[in-house]
Amino acid sequence: MSGTPSTPARPSGGDDPTAGKSFRTPIGTHDLAPPESGRWVALLGTFIGAADRAGFGYLQTPIFEDIGVFSRIGEGTDVVGKEMYEFADRSDRRLALRPEGTASVCRAFAQHRPTTPWKVWYQGPFFRYEAPQAGRYRQFHQIGAETLGTDDPDADVEIIALTAEFFGAIGLQRVPLLLNSMGDADTRLAYGEALTSYLQRRAADVDPADRDKIERHPLRILDSKRAATAAVAAEAPQITDFLSGETAAHFERVRAGLDALGIEHAVEPKLVRGLDYYTRTTFEFRAASLDAAQDTICGGGRYNGLVEALGGPPTPGIGFALGIERLLLACDAEGVFDVPAQRAEVWVIDTAGGAAARDLTHQLRSVGVRADRAFDDRSIRAQMRAADRSGAEIALIVGTDEIDAGTVTVRPLRRADGGSRDMPQQTVPRSELLVTLRTVFDVLNAPAPASADSSNPA
Ligand code: ATP
Ligand code: MG
């Protein structure tokens, strides 16, 4: 037998045990469908605008990578140690679904050696085996950006300003920025010792579920959400007291830069972030409108050792990642970024078989009009209902009379904002359709005179 245990035989057609079964999305994953998906597209568009103006180019890396790329983040972290989707492919390569973006960006940098500074942004799905709940999923989506190849504190400021600009553009108000510095390797060493001996003294007060971290991962104690642990953490020594002259100066330059740009921030010495690779600046935007367990919508920081750990030259970097689902939850909570569903501007009603609808929608789309139609040769009433439901401002009606005369009937339905406008329908030669449409759009959507009642009478 040549079959290996790692490639079990798959059921063949006839005795497929899943035949006739209905399927659902796996736990912790979701479909994204209209109209909600329109909001995602608009969100991405807004970010792309901000990233483009700031000189960041789009980077797309594979969704799975050699598992070693991610283990460099730190074997002791939850992301790698507990949450990673690992698998072997059919040739027994050890791979993992990407749990985060920075390691892949650094792998790409080490592989391609681009000129610096290398400023890139990314977006897409990420995977972590977590307990699903609101704002926490197994497949979630991030937008991120990274600047590699410079230690300049202004690069930190630029990265933070990009996120602040983006949040402003989508209308989020209640997302305070917390800032900290992790110093350098010496800082972490000295601080780690001070923190561990403090925690050892207070071990009895630490929540039992967190106690093993005292030796294994003392920094993790600081961002524990358990009340007893948090009380101990509140009195712990602070990393900002252990910064070397150089890293303290870097931190001050970042803070001064944020002040100069009017970006409010608070220093939070307990902000140590979940990944091992951070040095110097770390930051988070937390949504005041969300539950504390899932209120971090964006996290980031400087990592000056990661490219080297991935086989590249020593290269400093700074970046952030934000969770799109959580960002949208925060938008909902604040009642902002309510993107109207995509709708047609013009609806073509064809009672003569459908050929006119086929041709007219095509022509209108090619000159930039959002045009749509019903299918299946429905009755004129059914087509009118579809036109109404669509939210289109104008219906174009083509029946046998219009076809014989080479005309189209233009029937104004409503203003783009939904309000009604009293405007008669008119039948015009096909050759004049575009001009007529433009006029009708203009009249429909002209600001209403103060005296006229443009509200929907219904
Ligand atoms: P948390 O402490 O909430 O688990 P994290 O520190 O693990 O967050 P990062 O690795 O910094 O998160 O990821 C950046 C952002 O991605 C987070 O701020 C969050 O908005 C989002 N995010 C992380 N994990 C998930 C998840 N499982 N589901 C949805 N969004 C997530
Ligand atoms: Mg996490």
Side-chain angles (χ1 to χ4, degrees), residues 79 83 128 130 136 326:
V79 168
E83 301 169 358
R128 295 183 193 179
E130 298 202 67
R136 199 173 288 285
R326 266 189 221 179

PDB file of all heavy atoms in Angstrom, residues 79 83 128 130 136 326, ligand 2:
ATOM      1  N   VAL A  79      -0.683  34.122  20.420  1.00  0.00           N
ATOM      2  CA  VAL A  79      -0.934  34.081  18.975  1.00  0.00           C
ATOM      3  C   VAL A  79      -0.251  32.873  18.344  1.00  0.00           C
ATOM      4  O   VAL A  79      -0.850  32.147  17.548  1.00  0.00           O
ATOM      5  CB  VAL A  79      -0.447  35.398  18.313  1.00  0.00           C
ATOM      6  CG1 VAL A  79      -0.428  35.265  16.802  1.00  0.00           C
ATOM      7  CG2 VAL A  79      -1.345  36.557  18.721  1.00  0.00           C
ATOM      8  N   GLU A  83      -3.022  29.903  19.388  1.00  0.00           N
ATOM      9  CA  GLU A  83      -4.100  30.305  18.481  1.00  0.00           C
ATOM     10  C   GLU A  83      -3.823  30.024  17.004  1.00  0.00           C
ATOM     11  O   GLU A  83      -4.673  30.254  16.169  1.00  0.00           O
ATOM     12  CB  GLU A  83      -4.380  31.813  18.653  1.00  0.00           C
ATOM     13  CG  GLU A  83      -4.787  32.181  20.063  1.00  0.00           C
ATOM     14  CD  GLU A  83      -4.825  33.685  20.337  1.00  0.00           C
ATOM     15  OE1 GLU A  83      -4.491  34.479  19.438  1.00  0.00           O
ATOM     16  OE2 GLU A  83      -5.172  34.062  21.464  1.00  0.00           O
ATOM     17  N   ARG A 128      -7.062  33.111  13.811  1.00  0.00           N
ATOM     18  CA  ARG A 128      -6.605  32.726  15.152  1.00  0.00           C
ATOM     19  C   ARG A 128      -7.656  31.830  15.767  1.00  0.00           C
ATOM     20  O   ARG A 128      -8.838  32.141  15.727  1.00  0.00           O
ATOM     21  CB  ARG A 128      -6.412  33.973  16.038  1.00  0.00           C
ATOM     22  CG  ARG A 128      -5.304  34.883  15.525  1.00  0.00           C
ATOM     23  CD  ARG A 128      -5.079  36.074  16.460  1.00  0.00           C
ATOM     24  NE  ARG A 128      -4.244  37.067  15.797  1.00  0.00           N
ATOM     25  CZ  ARG A 128      -3.891  38.226  16.342  1.00  0.00           C
ATOM     26  NH1 ARG A 128      -4.298  38.537  17.554  1.00  0.00           N
ATOM     27  NH2 ARG A 128      -3.136  39.063  15.662  1.00  0.00           N
ATOM     28  N   GLU A 130      -9.463  31.222  18.459  1.00  0.00           N
ATOM     29  CA  GLU A 130      -9.872  31.843  19.714  1.00  0.00           C
ATOM     30  C   GLU A 130     -11.301  31.436  20.023  1.00  0.00           C
ATOM     31  O   GLU A 130     -11.999  30.894  19.166  1.00  0.00           O
ATOM     32  CB  GLU A 130      -9.831  33.367  19.592  1.00  0.00           C
ATOM     33  CG  GLU A 130      -8.441  33.899  19.295  1.00  0.00           C
ATOM     34  CD  GLU A 130      -8.304  35.357  19.700  1.00  0.00           C
ATOM     35  OE1 GLU A 130      -8.360  35.617  20.913  1.00  0.00           O
ATOM     36  OE2 GLU A 130      -8.125  36.206  18.808  1.00  0.00           O
ATOM     37  N   ARG A 136     -14.567  39.089  18.324  1.00  0.00           N
ATOM     38  CA  ARG A 136     -13.465  38.121  18.361  1.00  0.00           C
ATOM     39  C   ARG A 136     -13.865  36.915  17.531  1.00  0.00           C
ATOM     40  O   ARG A 136     -14.828  36.236  17.839  1.00  0.00           O
ATOM     41  CB  ARG A 136     -13.182  37.733  19.822  1.00  0.00           C
ATOM     42  CG  ARG A 136     -11.807  37.124  20.032  1.00  0.00           C
ATOM     43  CD  ARG A 136     -11.505  36.915  21.516  1.00  0.00           C
ATOM     44  NE  ARG A 136     -11.249  38.145  22.251  1.00  0.00           N
ATOM     45  CZ  ARG A 136     -10.114  38.839  22.160  1.00  0.00           C
ATOM     46  NH1 ARG A 136      -9.132  38.422  21.402  1.00  0.00           N
ATOM     47  NH2 ARG A 136      -9.964  39.954  22.841  1.00  0.00           N
ATOM     48  N   ARG A 326     -14.006  44.959  14.411  1.00  0.00           N
ATOM     49  CA  ARG A 326     -14.114  45.741  15.646  1.00  0.00           C
ATOM     50  C   ARG A 326     -14.292  47.214  15.354  1.00  0.00           C
ATOM     51  O   ARG A 326     -15.023  47.916  16.045  1.00  0.00           O
ATOM     52  CB  ARG A 326     -12.864  45.555  16.494  1.00  0.00           C
ATOM     53  CG  ARG A 326     -13.062  44.463  17.481  1.00  0.00           C
ATOM     54  CD  ARG A 326     -11.920  44.420  18.454  1.00  0.00           C
ATOM     55  NE  ARG A 326     -11.596  43.022  18.675  1.00  0.00           N
ATOM     56  CZ  ARG A 326     -10.637  42.613  19.463  1.00  0.00           C
ATOM     57  NH1 ARG A 326      -9.869  43.494  20.077  1.00  0.00           N
ATOM     58  NH2 ARG A 326     -10.418  41.333  19.607  1.00  0.00           N
TER      59      ARG A 326
HETATM   60 MG    MG B   2      -5.423  38.482  21.035  1.00  0.00          MG
END
